[in-house]
Amino acid sequence: MIYADAAATTPVRREVLEAMWPYLTGEFGNPSSTHELGHRASTALTGARAEVAKAFGARPGELVLTSGGTEADNLAVKGLALASPRGRHVVTSAIEHEAVLESVHYLERHHGFEPTILAPTPDGLIEPEALRAALRPDTTLVTVHQANNEIGAVQDVATLADVAHEVGALFHTDAVQAAGWLDVSLRGLDAVSVSGHKLGAPKGVGALLVRAGLPLEPLVHGGGQERGRRSGTENVAFAVGLAATVRALPALRARADDVAASRDALVDGVLSRVPGAFLTGPEPSSGRRLPGHASFCFPGTSGEAVLLELERSGVVTSSGSACAAGRDEPSHVLLALGIAPEVAQTSVRFTVEAPFDAGPLVDAVVGATTAVGRLGG
């Protein structure tokens, strides 16, 4: 099997499982308990928190452990906007993950916020001048992802954050897709979301990094854990697993050039051998695309039918965001790029986390698109 859906999830790394195991078995204490078992759990949690925070340019007190990227995005968007006294205007982009877009619309529906949704360039980039033109004196929050899960576009979040700060607005970025490849840091930003299962940790753990001193309205109330920002008994084992995962980030990022070379061979092979196929998102040569990401549209086919043919040949991948799987609507990301709905529904995304031989994958794509074409899509 060729697994080419790393943007959806990655396998749990062995060293992560080994680090977690003691806290799933004998070291099962509640870190809030005052007895010895609780103290040992608390010590492990404190160490994990410090390690994860440091990996992302933050201090331990600036990290809120969550159940994953979706919760981190919800907490950032709702929590920062509702706690801010500046105003009720928020800015985001049309190609954000649903966790961000739905949170913005929640603020609009239930709290009277007015959103401005920025259109991307045709290759999926958010221009600083477009953001500057959208800002107002009452803008309280700007949220733009660092890298897009469907088209691999990498945003210049440092510049976008500087623009937001010109009017005193806060800046949050969803770095879920970026963390395995790029320098992800709270430095210069106000909040950053990350997710463990995109990096080799289990599903169910992530973090929101929030600049010290910023008020944050919690989504979950109760025991006051996470400094009152997220109540609930902390998941010590998964926090330890997340720490083990970020420990491996330098090695993961070190192979980015080799992965990009494999990606480029895949892109060249598909575009040269599949009539009408085109790449969505930035050109690889632009330096604004994730190394392990190649996404295509195959006009005249059905993306779902191509996926089925690929799976028959041993290639596992997807048409885009796993969170939108099973829906009949075309991708909101591709529509925002100006791609026609009927063409957007022909999309297929290949995402990998290690170098690979592009030849067999190109052959599989050619075979799948040819078969679907013979069947009339």
Side-chain angles (χ1 to χ4, degrees):
M1 182 184 75
I2 299 175
Y3 182 71
D5 201 17
T9 196
T10 58
V12 178
R13 300 171 65 85
R14 181 180 182 88
E15 63 267 32
V16 173
L17 284 173
E18 291 175 346
M20 293 171 58
W21 183 247
Y23 302 97
L24 293 168
T25 53
E27 297 295 330
F28 57 85
N30 184 325
S32 297
S33 297
T34 58
H35 48 63
E36 179 59 26
L37 201 58
H39 286 316
R40 293 203 298 266
S42 179
T43 298
L45 182 65
T46 298
R49 184 188 307 281
E51 192 163 5
V52 174
K54 183 179 180 181
F56 297 114
R59 290 174 286 181
E62 295 176 311
L63 184 139
V64 183
L65 291 165
T66 69
S67 62
T70 292
E71 184 188 345
D73 284 342
N74 273 258
L75 180 57
V77 175
K78 298 173 186 174
L80 289 172
L82 292 174
S84 173
R86 279 184 52 82
R88 293 189 177 271
H89 179 236
V90 294
V91 180
T92 190
S93 85
I95 56 174
E96 297 300 308
H97 190 276
E98 291 88 344
V100 167
L101 290 174
E102 288 300 318
S103 293
V104 168
H105 293 315
Y106 166 86
L107 291 173
E108 180 184 20
R109 290 192 308 269
H110 298 288
H111 295 279
F113 280 75
E114 181 182 349
T116 294
I117 312 295
L118 299 175
T121 63
D123 54 357
L125 301 176
I126 304 302
E127 296 179 321
E129 287 308 313
L131 173 58
R132 182 173 282 112
L135 295 173
R136 308 187 325 205
D138 64 336
T139 304
T140 189
L141 177 67
V142 175
T143 174
V144 177
H145 60 267
Q146 189 165 354
N148 187 272
N149 65 322
E150 293 193 37
I151 59 173
V154 175
Q155 310 297 340
D156 183 359
V157 293
T159 298
L160 295 174
D162 287 344
V163 172
H165 292 160
E166 288 173 4
V167 299
L170 300 176
F171 186 88
H172 161 256
T173 193
D174 175 340
V176 166
Q177 294 294 330
W181 301 109
L182 309 175
D183 179 25
V184 171
S185 177
L186 185 62
R187 290 185 291 270
L189 312 183
D190 300 297
V192 177
S193 302
V194 294
S195 178
H197 77 101
K198 312 293 187 179
L199 307 171
K203 301 165 189 67
V205 65
L208 176 66
L209 302 119
V210 185
R211 183 166 57 82
L214 289 181
L216 186 71
E217 181 66 26
L219 303 180
V220 181
H221 301 85
Q225 290 87 349
E226 298 298 304
R227 300 192 175 198
R229 298 168 296 186
R230 184 192 188 260
S231 291
T233 301
E234 299 93 340
N235 192 334
V236 178
F238 278 42
V240 169
L242 184 60
T245 298
V246 301
R247 209 173 298 142
L249 283 179
L252 295 177
R253 293 170 181 170
R255 61 188 183 187
D257 288 345
D258 292 335
V259 174
S262 298
R263 185 270 320 273
D264 292 347
L266 170 63
V267 171
D268 292 344
V270 169
L271 296 183
S272 65
R273 294 181 58 190
V274 180
F278 65 90
L279 190 72
T280 60
E283 290 295 325
S285 60
S286 68
R288 299 294 296 272
R289 191 182 192 101
L290 290 175
H293 197 295
S295 51
F296 304 92
C297 282
F298 300 111
T301 70
S302 158
E304 290 300 321
V306 171
L307 290 177
L308 290 173
E309 290 296 327
L310 285 169
E311 190 164 3
R312 290 191 183 100
S313 65
V315 177
V316 177
T317 186
S318 66
S319 58
S321 173
C323 297
R327 299 179 189 171
D328 293 332
E329 300 86 1
S331 159
H332 72 280
V333 172
L334 299 184
L335 295 181
L337 301 187
I339 297 173
E342 64 273 15
V343 176
Q345 289 185 312
T346 72
S347 66
V348 177
R349 176 190 72 177
F350 301 91
T351 51
V352 298
E353 59 173 352
F356 62 97
D357 181 358
L361 188 50
V362 172
D363 290 342
V365 173
V366 172
T369 54
T370 301
V372 172
R374 283 199 304 265
L375 298 171

